[in-house]
Amino acid sequence: MPDNLTYKILKKHLVDGEMKKGSEIGLRIDQTLTQDATGTMAYLQLEALGIEKVQTELSVSYVDHNTLQNGFENADDHRYLQSAAARFGVWYSRPGNGICHQVHLERFGVPGKTLLGSDSHTPTAGGLGMIGIGAGGLDVAVAMAGGPFYITVPEVIKVNLVGNFSPWVGAKDVILELLRRLSVKGGVGKVIEYDGSGLENLTVPERATIANMGAELGATSSIFPSDTVTKKFLKAQGREKDWQPFEADLRADYDHEITIALDQLEPLAAAPHSPDKVIPIREISSVKVDQVAVGSCTNGSYQDLRLLAEIMKGRVVHPGVSLVVAPGSRQVLISLTREGVIEELIRSGARILETACGPCIGMGQAPPSGAVSVRTFNRNFAGRSGTADASVYLTGPAAAAAAALQGEITDPRELGDFPSLPEEYAPVIDDRMIIAPPADGGDMKIIRGPNIKPVPLNKPVPEKIQIRVLLVVEDNITTDHIMPGGSRVLPLRSNIEALSEYVFAPLDSKFSDRAREYGSGLIVAGENYGQGSSREHAALAPMALGVKAVVAKSFARIHQANLVNFGILPLTFSEPVDYEKLTVGDELQIDNVSEQLKSKRIIIEHVEGNYAIEAEHQLSLRQLKIVKEGGLLNYTRSQSGLSGQNKR
Ligand code: MIC
Ligand code: SF4
């Protein structure tokens, strides 16, 4: 049977289960990446697993999120990460070297390999023909220890890209168009595979922009073939030897097909507060803009910033706009500096930021009250910018430049002729901010600061669960609602007790007090609960507050896996209308838990109301065991499944 590219790579990495749609499979993971906001917890968990050395072909620890050092916490985490990397055989990309996904693409990604990352945008590597998957830190720790990573065999959607872009239209508009068509739930349980004659017009960074925002579709991964364009990119990176061709077989099977004619696209934007609220920019032109932010793992490449600079050249930012620019990597920054592009940008009034995530995760540059911010990023959830009442529009770099110049949202086609950009560029390669691990890190000392606390563990699930409804939330709740980012909260990522004060803070400031009062709680949610980031803290901190279960209409993939990893039961309503029957404070109970979990049908009794609600779970046997043991850490330690021969 001819295989699509996704299945080809998955089959090559299959170590457990069968390639049957909907069933669970275990994959061998070749490479892992972590970033600092999820990494400290991941390495604490790796320590708890008791291995001597990572078992992957390559593992890299990046520092890119928590780079504002308002207190000692973030800097302590960086020092911990550097020491843990040396101890366990992990490469360390120092602060200032760039955003994990951009640097990984440039320096480490290899077509045909699997990459697991503790960041939801790990599928960016799909731009290079890899299967990149985002996961919680604990899953990444287990993969580093040599354990398989489990996913449900996905459906594969083929997206045919045909033709070429009209001037002023680019890669960001492709993925915004897909978000318009499919919504933030449209990719759940699916891999998006790109093909078609239009591919030859898309460079690797452009492909990476598209693969990156597959995360916003909820997709498990996104992938482009590895072709001559890929070869050219790797050659420019001095890594031609890493290239191999990979493509789907002729007449391969797909679950759905979608065609996008590139020349029919127009400049698009995602309006507040969801990446799928996509509209043509011409329909919102003249909205006044206060801030423009360019960069992030979506549009922080050399080509993106070069385009911004060419458009701004000789002109200056509108007096009502603050323009902030964060290059995606040190390579991008050095290459642009060498060519005088950074000087052009500074002359145009850009405020050049560190090469890091920065404003994308609310690490500084929060816009003013009630502001409109136009960003080349991937998420525009309410409050994520750091300003609760700001409105964020997501666009490509050309529209960002147009807004910066005009002071209002502007269709970039109004700017006249599209600037001519060089076809080729030779990146400056300088890896001296990446530290290779020593051959034997066994004696390296791990350095901990006072804010780095041990990982809390859950208890096995009891036979009778007594809980109270802690919160009822609507559809599409993001992990930014559950466990917010921003410069105040992010430094607490390695101190769960302190972090748990902020659980659900954007929705309900009394949540953590109530959780402590109730002692044992349930969250009631709508569709696509937990969409967005991979942060396991959105499960770990609620667990620390006594959350035992979530009953939702449906879940986002990574968050559901994180709930399981920390021993929280993810249940779905058998009858979605029952969602209406639960209110904060209701007392509930679940009896004969083991038996009910086995039957997949769970009766939740309403203690006072004298009625019951029926729920279900979609957990595999393996996941059930994990939940019952109180989480993956307990479970993994009790298994011998790790290839880590060196278990302590
Ligand atoms: C994000 O974009 O939300 C983050 C910050 O990169 C997260 C990871 C985190 O919360 O640390 C993600 O996308 O997984
Ligand atoms: Fe960083 Fe933003 Fe990318 Fe997340 S989405 S990795 S915060 S740049």
Side-chain angles (χ1 to χ4, degrees), residues 40 44 47 72-81 83 445-454 491 494-495:
T40 304
L44 287 171
E47 283 190 70
F72 61 88
E73 293 87 349
N74 290 342
D76 277 7
D77 276 1
H78 303 167
R79 194 167 56 181
Y80 167 80
L81 290 168
S83 64
K445 198 170 153 328
I446 295 184
I447 309 170
R448 263 169 260 275
N451 187 50
I452 301 179
K453 307 281 190 214
S494 30
N495 179 347

Side-chain angles (χ1 to χ4, degrees), residues 331-530:
Q331 178 183 99
V332 169
L333 178 58
I334 300 176
S335 305
L336 292 168
T337 306
R338 182 190 57 183
E339 289 163 23
V341 181
I342 292 294
E343 179 182 340
E344 290 291 348
L345 283 172
I346 296 172
R347 283 180 178 275
S348 297
R351 300 166 66 182
I352 306 293
L353 306 177
E354 188 174 10
T355 54
C357 301
C360 180
I361 187 58
M363 255 304 146
Q365 305 302 330
S369 307
V372 167
S373 178
V374 171
R375 301 178 159 211
T376 65
F377 305 168
N378 49 37
R379 291 186 173 142
N380 57 348
F381 308 142
R384 183 175 158 102
S385 66
T387 302
D389 60 0
S391 298
V392 174
Y393 290 82
L394 306 173
T395 70
L405 288 172
Q406 306 297 115
E408 50 189 39
I409 295 184
T410 304
D411 187 327
R413 291 173 297 189
E414 286 173 22
L415 296 179
D417 289 339
F418 189 71
S420 72
L421 294 168
E423 286 251 308
E424 305 263 333
Y425 101 98
V428 177
I429 295 162
D430 177 351
D431 288 334
R432 286 174 301 166
M433 289 293 277
I434 302 175
I435 302 179
D440 179 6
D443 294 333
M444 302 300 292
K445 198 170 153 328
I446 295 184
I447 309 170
R448 263 169 260 275
N451 187 50
I452 301 179
K453 307 281 190 214
V455 194
L457 289 177
N458 207 347
K459 294 198 194 70
V461 175
E463 271 310 288
K464 177 172 184 159
I465 302 180
Q466 288 176 296
I467 33 182
R468 289 182 74 182
V469 176
L470 269 169
L471 191 68
V472 180
V473 292
E474 47 196 47
D475 291 351
N476 292 323
I477 287 299
T478 72
T479 50
D480 280 81
H481 291 111
I482 307 171
M483 193 68 265
S487 58
R488 220 156 48 100
V489 182
L490 280 168
L492 305 175
R493 285 278 181 96
S494 30
N495 179 347
I496 300 301
E497 197 187 331
L499 186 72
S500 62
E501 285 301 316
Y502 296 91
V503 174
F504 282 115
L507 296 178
D508 181 345
S509 59
K510 302 268 177 333
F511 181 88
S512 59
D513 291 342
R514 190 158 62 246
R516 271 190 217 100
E517 182 197 328
Y518 291 1
S520 170
L522 170 86
I523 309 294
V524 178
E527 302 278 4
N528 200 23
Y529 178 70

